Amino acid sequence: MSKLTVYQYPQCSTCRNAIKWLRAEGHELNLIHIVESPPTAEQLRELVEHSELELKKFFNTSGEVYKSQNLKEKLPSMDAQEQLQLLSENGKLIKRPIVTDGDRVTVGFKEATYEETWKA
């Protein structure tokens, strides 16, 4: 089985469900606390590239920090590097969990996506 890196927040039920699913599939997990040790702007850039998702999909749009900083209004006027820097400075802004094997990346937890990407 593959070893996966999981950027997660232990108090997040979505993260716990994702981890449970991945472990049931037999994956070895390297768990990283996304708030205590958020990925750097460079790591995030690589994750975005490998995910084939838009950068905005990496923002936790339902989180308090996103709302309190009025990022819905601010993000469109920020360039990619500014957005990556913002994410790297506050793990609570990042949609979670982020799972990667170094080549593939998923953001959030949708069982259908996990079946397609991480099924043993």
Side-chain angles (χ1 to χ4, degrees):
M1 228 14 52
S2 60
K3 180 157 188 170
L4 303 176
T5 297
V6 182
Y7 290 94
Q8 54 89 36
Y9 186 59
Q11 290 85 344
C12 169
S13 61
T14 302
C15 292
R16 289 194 304 267
N17 291 335
I19 290 165
K20 182 178 175 182
W21 190 97
L22 292 165
R23 284 189 170 141
E25 287 297 311
H27 292 286
E28 186 181 337
L29 305 178
N30 173 28
L31 301 177
I32 299 174
H33 194 299
I34 202 164
V35 176
E36 293 175 359
S37 302
T40 65
E42 180 59 25
Q43 288 170 318
L44 284 161
R45 186 188 59 72
E46 290 177 15
L47 290 166
V48 171
E49 285 177 9
H50 287 290
S51 75
E52 299 178 7
L53 296 170
E54 296 175 73
L55 176 54
K56 69 181 180 182
K57 297 285 187 188
F58 279 74
F59 280 87
N60 177 10
T61 57
S62 61
E64 290 301 315
V65 177
Y66 183 90
K67 292 174 181 173
S68 70
Q69 291 188 14
N70 198 23
L71 291 177
K72 184 176 183 179
E73 305 300 322
K74 293 178 183 175
L75 285 181
S77 64
M78 296 172 76
D79 67 27
Q81 189 56 43
E82 290 172 315
Q83 291 181 34
L84 290 168
Q85 191 61 41
L86 187 63
L87 286 170
S88 73
E89 291 168 358
N90 191 332
K92 288 198 173 182
L93 280 174
I94 304 171
K95 186 170 176 74
R96 55 191 184 259
I98 297 175
V99 181
T100 184
D101 63 2
D103 292 317
R104 299 171 292 171
V105 175
T106 56
V107 179
F109 176 59
K110 288 194 169 67
E111 194 160 341
T113 302
Y114 274 46
E115 287 279 341
E116 188 180 301
T117 311
W118 307 120
K119 184 77 173 161

